[in-house]
Amino acid sequence: MKKGTVYLVGAGPGDPGLITVKGLKCIQNADVIVYDRLASPRLLSHAAPGTELIYVGKSPDGHAMPQEEINQLLVERALKGQVVVRLKGGDPFVFGRGGEEAEALAEAGVKFEVVPGITSAVAVPAYAGIPVTHREWTSTLSIITGNEDPSRKSSRINWEKLATGVDTLVFLMGMTNLESIVKQLTRYGRDPQTPVAVIRWGTRPEQKTVVGTLENIVSRTMEAGITNPAVIIVGEVVTLREKLSWYENKPLFGTRVLVTRSQEQASQLSQAIEALGGEALEFPTIQIVEPESYEPMDTAIARLDSYRWIIFTSVNGVRFFFARLLQQGKDVRDLKGVNLCAIGPKTREALERYALKVTYVPDEYRAEQIIAGLKDRIKPGERILLPRADIARKVLAELLSNLGAIVDEVVAYRTIPAGTDARLVRQMLAEGKIHIITFTSSSTVRNFVKMLEEDQLPRLLQGVTVACIGPVTAHTARELGLPVHVQARRYTIEGLLEVVVEAAMGRNKSK
């Protein structure tokens, strides 16, 4: 049997956006992913369907699997011909025991590659506004384990030379031994007034930074309740934090937002959230697919010249309609003389990308407002085309018919439940790690409730802010028993983001 390959991949310090391009490709192509506690769960969502996920995380409280067994697991899976990704927090060769795993693989004759990651020794201080090197402050840097091999009888750290011989000291996983570290440094000559920063869960929404000196950092971290995982930085560069802090000053810092849109559309909202310092956790509850039959749409396309208006109520409607228009051998010239209506600015922009002029966009982006703007423009007997979702509200078609119009409502696309695994989201809600949930349509609400087990929602949503894009979505949420805390004033993604930021800032003030 052909041997497989093991990729020792550094996942970075926690922010999933810090994974390398090669590391992400390895995750996408893996048969098996063996992952650590400090690797972001969001990275696992990039794995192909059917990829086996094996958790082997270590914590101060215990190990899910001893290191020797992890080594053997990697060897066994590779010998079966599988592509194995060993996903490790930070960099695999910086206190990640990647060297031990590589040795075991080499001894077994297993092919392996090392994919370096961004080490927390550099990234975590950077997210706290602390450069570990600076030409005016430091010329030397040491990265030291804060948790030496417990089976070793004596320390390998030369404290006497380290204490005063290096400007910046970075200790990884040293919270348990912080008091001992401080004692050793001061014992061998480091000034007790030397600035120190301790950063817990750096680069994540849970990031917390405590600053002090060697003299008082132990008491300050105890008061703040700081525990592992944490990075300790000792040196004058810590004083730069006051000037250079950037991540913790962002409006959505400390906020994890659940995005329930379809996978194809989630990126716009997710990117905006992360640009503002939040963490977007994508949990698609819906999937956008083709209609079961194109016959009604094809019939409408064949007689486009009979329509006075085509009303588009979503970007998806635009996308599927024009894809089918082209497949039927037609193009935008066949829309000559037809008035176009878009329910909102994004739908208008989607039409304008085809170099089409949109006749009408309502001030309030809902079906009822379309009627308010078109009632004096539509004459009895005029034919109107509505290319929409299969589950779209019927109110628009009914109100148009009441005006005397002949309405052809055709299914341009279907909205179906996404096959997303809800276990991670359920766990994170139970642990209080999700702070805001966004809903962008009634279908996202309905499927969320189905996927999360309705009877468990009151408990899981305690302390969680529910944000809806508009009144229709909010009404559906309330009907299904969900609390609605904020609703966008403008029924757009930008409007939703505005109230999410306001809600997050309100949460932070109340802490």
Side-chain angles (χ1 to χ4, degrees):
M1 179 183 289
K2 183 180 177 181
K3 292 182 182 178
T5 302
V6 176
Y7 294 90
L8 302 174
V9 177
D15 180 346
L18 297 180
I19 185 76
T20 64
V21 173
K22 185 170 183 178
L24 188 60
K25 287 182 179 178
C26 290
I27 291 170
Q28 292 167 338
N29 295 324
D31 296 315
V32 183
I33 298 177
V34 180
Y35 66 101
D36 274 352
R37 168 178 173 246
L38 299 182
S40 170
R42 285 180 58 199
L43 293 176
L44 302 177
S45 67
H46 295 282
T51 302
E52 185 179 3
L53 306 176
I54 303 175
Y55 176 68
V56 296
K58 302 179 180 73
S59 73
D61 300 325
H63 297 179
M65 184 180 292
Q67 186 62 50
E68 294 73 18
E69 291 184 22
I70 296 174
N71 297 349
Q72 188 59 35
L73 173 66
L74 300 178
V75 170
E76 289 174 356
R77 292 309 182 94
L79 292 177
K80 288 181 180 179
Q82 294 180 309
V83 175
V84 183
V85 164
R86 174 69 174 104
L87 191 62
K88 307 173 72 67
D91 180 276
F93 276 13
V94 179
F95 301 125
R97 305 191 74 171
E100 298 171 45
E101 292 169 353
E103 281 187 293
L105 295 168
E107 290 167 5
V110 171
K111 180 182 175 183
F112 69 91
E113 292 187 23
V114 180
V115 182
I118 299 176
T119 173
S120 58
V122 172
V124 169
Y127 267 56
I130 302 170
V132 292
T133 67
H134 190 289
R135 199 163 58 166
E136 296 179 11
W137 292 84
T138 176
S139 299
T140 53
L141 164 69
S142 283
I143 302 172
I144 310 109
T145 178
N147 186 26
E148 284 192 277
D149 185 345
S151 65
R152 188 176 302 282
K153 293 182 179 180
S154 60
S155 173
R156 276 193 169 179
I157 300 173
N158 189 330
W159 291 101
E160 184 175 3
K161 293 181 179 179
L162 184 70
T164 57
V166 179
D167 294 325
T168 303
L169 306 176
V170 179
F171 293 88
L172 302 185
M173 302 303 293
M175 273 308 301
T176 304
N177 298 317
L178 178 60
E179 187 173 1
S180 174
I181 290 169
V182 168
K183 285 180 179 178
Q184 293 283 34
L185 292 176
T186 53
R187 175 187 178 189
Y188 287 106
R190 195 77 172 209
D191 186 346
Q193 297 305 311
T194 302
V196 182
V198 178
I199 308 156
R200 183 175 189 265
W201 285 117
T203 79
R204 302 188 185 211
E206 293 85 2
Q207 176 172 310
K208 187 171 184 177
T209 305
V210 175
V211 175
T213 64
L214 284 174
E215 190 173 56
N216 61 25
I217 194 64
V218 173
S219 61
R220 288 195 175 188
T221 54
M222 288 179 64
E223 289 171 9
I226 302 295
T227 58
N228 271 320
V231 173
I232 303 163
I233 306 99
V234 180
E236 296 302 321
V237 289
V238 171
T239 61
L240 290 166
R241 168 176 159 76
E242 188 174 344
K243 182 191 297 184
L244 303 183
S245 181
W246 60 275
Y247 179 50
E248 294 171 34
N249 293 333
K250 290 197 168 193
L252 286 181
F253 167 71
T255 306
R256 185 174 286 110
V257 183
L258 193 69
V259 177
T260 59
R261 299 189 91 190
S262 66
Q263 195 164 19
E264 302 89 344
Q265 294 181 298
S267 60
Q268 178 194 357
L269 181 54
S270 297
Q271 289 169 10
I273 289 167
E274 294 184 346
L276 294 171
E279 182 180 300
L281 179 63
E282 293 185 1
F283 178 57
T285 60
I286 61 172
Q287 186 178 354
I288 307 300
V289 298
E290 295 181 341
E292 291 180 343
S293 171
Y294 272 112
E295 185 176 348
M297 181 121 77
D298 291 345
T299 299
I301 288 173
R303 60 181 187 192
L304 282 176
D305 58 358
S306 70
Y307 293 106
R308 178 65 175 164
W309 288 85
I310 303 179
I311 300 176
F312 291 96
T313 57
S314 70
V315 171
N316 286 320
V318 174
R319 178 162 64 96
F320 279 87
F321 175 82
F322 281 95
R324 193 61 183 177
L325 184 74
L326 294 174
Q327 287 174 8
Q328 292 296 94
K330 295 179 179 292
D331 58 34
V332 294
R333 291 172 295 181
D334 292 283
L335 296 175
K336 183 180 180 181
V338 181
N339 293 304
L340 301 179
C341 172
I343 197 167
K346 292 298 179 183
T347 306
R348 180 189 62 207
E349 289 171 13
L351 288 166
E352 289 174 344
R353 281 195 283 271
Y354 291 96
L356 292 168
K357 184 177 180 180
V358 177
T359 307
Y360 178 67
V361 179
D363 294 330
E364 188 177 337
Y365 315 134
R366 54 190 302 194
E368 290 82 352
Q369 289 302 115
I370 289 178
I371 297 299
L374 294 185
K375 63 182 181 181
D376 295 328
R377 306 191 195 192
I378 295 174
K379 298 176 182 178
E382 289 184 334
R383 189 177 292 273
I384 298 174
L385 177 61
L386 290 180
R388 315 179 71 194
D390 58 327
I391 59 172
R393 292 194 306 151
K394 299 300 180 184
V395 63
L396 180 57
E398 292 170 357
L399 292 173
L400 289 168
S401 296
N402 292 341
L403 295 176
I406 301 170
V407 182
D408 290 340
E409 188 174 16
V410 300
V411 175
Y413 62 95
R414 288 182 297 138
T415 299
I416 64 173
T420 314
D421 190 339
R423 284 178 295 180
L424 174 61
V425 169
R426 193 178 294 115
Q427 177 185 338
M428 293 181 75
L429 283 169
E431 294 173 353
K433 292 182 178 179
I434 293 173
H435 310 111
I436 299 177
I437 300 176
T438 59
F439 294 111
T440 54
S441 66
S442 292
S443 55
T444 60
V445 179
R446 293 190 194 98
N447 291 326
F448 175 84
V449 171
K450 290 177 184 176
M451 295 165 74
L452 266 294
E453 300 174 6
E454 190 171 352
D455 61 327
Q456 298 295 316
L457 284 175
R459 177 180 61 85
L460 293 176
L461 296 184
Q462 283 186 1
V464 178
T465 299
V466 174
C468 293
I469 198 168
V472 175
T473 304
H475 177 71
T476 302
R478 291 189 181 100
E479 276 192 329
L480 294 174
L482 300 186
V484 177
H485 301 96
V486 293
Q487 176 186 303
R489 294 176 290 272
R490 295 183 298 139
Y491 313 150
T492 62
I493 293 300
E494 292 81 3
L496 180 60
L497 189 63
E498 286 174 4
V499 295
V500 164
V501 170
E502 291 170 7
M505 294 177 73
R507 288 174 62 93
N508 291 337
K509 284 181 182 178
S510 63
K511 285 181 181 178

